Amino acid sequence: MIEAWNRRLRALPGRHGGIRPLIALTLVLALALGLRLEFARNHIAHPTPDSRGYARIAESLYSDGQFGRRGGFGGEEVQDPTNYSPGLPLFAAGIYYATGGVKPLLVRVSLALLGTLAVLLTYLLARRLAAALVPDRGLSSPTAAWAGVVAALPLAIYPSLLEYHGMIMSEPLAIFWLSAAVLSFLWASDGRPLWAWALPGLLFGMTALTRPEYLTFGAVFAVLAIVRLARDGRAWRPRLLGAGAFLAAFLIPIVPWTVHNYVSLHRFVPLSTGGSKALFIGTYYPGDGMNDKTKSVLLADNPGLRRFLFTEKPRPQPSLPTPWLSLSLPQLPKDGIEPRRLLSQDFEQVNFVFLDQILDTLAAERHPGLPVDAALSKDAKHNFWHYWTTKPLPYAWMYAKKTWHMWRAGPRDTMKLPLWRAFHLAIVLLALTALIALAIRRRWEATVIGALTLGITAEGTLLLAAERRVLVLLPLISTLAGAATVWLAHLASKRRSRPAA
């Protein structure tokens, strides 16, 4: 066995374009791991409300044996635990059980290791795409290997992703599962036995467990499996068996949690209840389908709601009085705000207002006795059809703006800096170039990656168009960008070497 491993190691440079690309890849992986471990060790001082929610649910799973919230909570942590996706808390609780204690540092270190593996998977994906774009060089060529290195580097250093490694967030885990799922799906597409389709099915199921909005990809990629097997000349029976293996494996991580929800909630909830709030906000035209404006509009249009929230659910007051807060006080403040704006119905500064409580209250008022998620889902469907039929063009423009908002920059304040915004846009444009080139060549990789990109974009546009949604696609974007870089360089080299007429 040792001799077999030695032969594989000796053959490794030949399979990956030589020793230089391998050394470069090793350096990129070391950089990725070092940066992630540094952020994991020096965790973010003020993590997001989602991060605190995930951490406390994981602690509750370990200490109390239930999917609840353990410990004291601040005003921002008002979401019901069922709104959270179960994948990350289960992953963290599993580490707590394995190590015998609540150790958030170990969770962050584990996510750092998985994040580094995602960088390696990105390298492998980019090699495949580069071989498709430059077929005369092949998968074992230096061209394909350097494409992988170029693709791995942006994922290794992407600033906002590194910041998420300083918290307990679902993005690093989802990135690993999704990149592994795509690579395994392409692997199964290469004429493997029918049972091979179970591996991408399981990995896509783990992705959905971490990000429930990806549940629809189970059906989408089962259909794609049938399409691929049909292109390979398989009969209907093998096609259905391959898709069935994919779907059966996809359901393995999902069904137990669906049963858990049915027992605890007494109704059918596949993974989480949080999607209904995102759907309501995303379809609410007066709020432009965005969080902050939706808060402003709902507060401005519902004086009774403002009074209820202030009296029944008081929260810390900001240092600067705002119109909403001032109009809710027993008497007007003597200073701190301009008088005309004080008495206006302008609700711009609403960062201290918690949208979850607003939506919970509205749902209870409009649909008494109905669960919040069901009530908001019902209102969201009404929003969607009402505004499409009454304001089709402005409503379509709202969705176009949401799509641009989602893709224009990465999440977190760091990515708003000009340098990093340009870095992000360059990767996206290169990725689009490669995707178009692959589609023109009718490559299967373009179908797989294009379906994921369009699907995640469409879901983000319909729901909350946050930059975080694109972050999960970053391995695929980097993969395409790396392949495009070496392909464009190859075209330029061929043009320079062409003899003059």
Side-chain angles (χ1 to χ4, degrees):
M1 180 177 291
I2 295 176
E3 182 58 31
W5 277 106
N6 286 334
R7 285 198 300 270
R8 290 182 182 181
L9 288 174
R10 286 194 294 268
L12 201 60
R15 295 168 54 193
H16 291 267
I19 193 65
R20 290 183 179 179
L22 277 181
I23 292 174
L25 173 64
T26 302
L27 293 175
V28 171
L29 291 175
L31 176 65
L33 179 60
L35 289 172
R36 281 156 176 75
L37 289 176
E38 180 65 17
F39 273 86
R41 186 175 67 87
N42 299 312
H43 61 91
I44 301 295
H46 300 287
T48 64
D50 278 349
S51 177
R52 294 195 294 269
Y54 281 127
R56 285 175 172 164
I57 291 172
E59 183 179 352
S60 180
L61 279 170
Y62 172 74
S63 301
D64 306 326
Q66 59 182 346
F67 199 80
R69 297 181 299 180
R70 186 176 177 84
F73 295 91
E76 292 177 332
E77 296 160 356
V78 294
Q79 291 196 61
D80 190 275
T82 60
N83 286 354
Y84 288 88
S85 57
L88 179 59
L90 290 172
F91 173 81
I95 293 175
Y96 295 161
Y97 277 111
T99 57
V102 177
K103 301 170 183 176
L105 175 60
L106 282 182
V107 176
R108 296 195 298 272
V109 168
S110 299
L111 291 174
L113 295 174
L114 292 180
T116 306
L117 285 177
V119 176
L120 177 60
L121 294 174
T122 301
Y123 164 82
L124 296 174
L125 279 168
R127 284 177 68 235
R128 181 181 180 116
L129 297 193
L133 285 174
V134 192
D136 57 318
R137 297 299 174 89
L139 189 63
S140 300
S141 67
T143 299
W146 283 114
V149 173
V150 172
L153 184 58
L155 186 63
I157 66 173
Y158 199 84
S160 55
L161 179 56
L162 294 176
E163 290 188 23
Y164 282 136
H165 278 285
M167 300 179 273
I168 296 180
M169 293 289 285
S170 65
E171 279 74 14
L173 187 59
I175 281 174
F176 170 75
W177 291 128
L178 186 63
S179 53
V182 172
L183 185 62
S184 65
F185 193 88
L186 294 175
W187 169 79
S189 301
D190 292 337
R192 309 287 176 184
L194 294 178
W195 60 261
W197 291 99
L199 178 59
L202 179 63
L203 291 169
F204 271 110
M206 296 302 295
T207 307
L209 190 69
T210 308
R211 299 294 290 248
E213 64 267 30
Y214 297 169
L215 266 173
T216 53
F217 292 135
V220 170
F221 277 83
V223 172
L224 286 180
I226 293 175
V227 171
R228 181 62 186 186
L229 290 168
R231 286 180 56 179
D232 291 343
R234 301 290 189 99
W236 271 108
R237 181 180 174 84
R239 295 181 212 173
L240 295 178
L241 287 174
F246 177 92
L247 274 178
F250 178 82
L251 293 173
I252 286 174
I254 293 170
V255 168
W257 198 253
T258 304
V259 173
H260 165 272
N261 283 339
Y262 187 81
V263 171
S264 59
L265 302 177
H266 308 292
R267 54 198 175 94
F268 178 75
V269 176
L271 288 174
S272 77
T273 60
S276 58
K277 291 184 179 180
L279 185 62
F280 176 86
I281 298 166
T283 57
Y284 189 57
Y285 174 72
D288 285 342
M290 305 295 285
N291 267 341
D292 286 344
K293 190 168 181 182
T294 295
K295 286 193 285 186
S296 301
V297 172
L298 290 176
L299 288 173
D301 292 347
N302 296 275
L305 174 65
R306 299 198 303 272
R307 289 192 295 271
F308 172 81
L309 289 174
F310 188 80
T311 56
E312 300 296 328
K313 299 181 182 294
R315 56 189 55 81
Q317 299 179 12
S319 57
L320 174 65
T322 63
W324 177 82
L325 178 60
S326 299
L327 291 174
S328 303
L329 293 173
Q331 60 183 16
L332 299 179
K334 296 180 180 180
D335 54 18
I337 196 167
E338 196 270 329
R340 290 185 181 181
R341 187 166 179 271
L342 174 66
L343 298 175
S344 73
Q345 289 294 311
D346 181 16
F347 299 95
E348 295 176 358
Q349 299 179 29
V350 292
N351 290 334
F352 70 101
V353 181
F354 311 130
L355 185 54
D356 292 285
Q357 289 184 340
I358 295 174
L359 296 179
D360 290 350
T361 304
L362 282 177
E365 287 181 355
R366 293 177 179 177
H367 306 282
L370 201 62
V372 169
D373 59 303
L376 291 176
S377 180
K378 184 176 182 178
D379 285 345
K381 292 172 184 175
H382 170 78
N383 288 342
F384 186 80
W385 294 114
H386 172 71
Y387 293 119
W388 268 123
T389 53
T390 59
K391 302 176 183 290
L393 292 179
Y395 204 48
W397 178 240
M398 181 193 83
Y399 282 117
K401 289 189 294 182
K402 288 174 65 180
T403 303
W404 168 243
H405 176 81
M406 186 166 50
W407 280 96
R408 65 181 179 176
R412 309 288 291 175
D413 292 340
T414 305
M415 296 306 298
K416 307 302 185 291
L417 297 175
L419 174 63
W420 290 117
R421 183 180 288 237
F423 173 76
H424 171 86
L425 290 175
I427 298 172
V428 170
L429 290 174
L430 283 169
L432 182 60
T433 301
L435 191 59
I436 293 173
L438 289 167
I440 291 173
R441 288 165 170 76
R442 298 183 179 181
R443 294 290 307 192
W444 177 242
E445 294 86 352
T447 302
V448 173
I449 297 177
L452 266 175
T453 304
L454 288 175
I456 292 175
T457 299
E459 287 184 342
T461 301
L462 181 63
L463 302 172
L464 290 177
E467 297 96 338
R468 285 174 58 186
R469 296 188 183 276
V470 173
L471 194 63
V472 180
L473 278 170
L474 191 57
L476 302 184
I477 298 169
S478 297
T479 291
L480 289 165
T485 301
V486 298
W487 174 61
L488 293 172
H490 175 70
L491 292 180
S493 176
K494 286 179 64 175
R495 190 165 189 173
R496 285 196 304 268
S497 61
R498 188 179 303 165

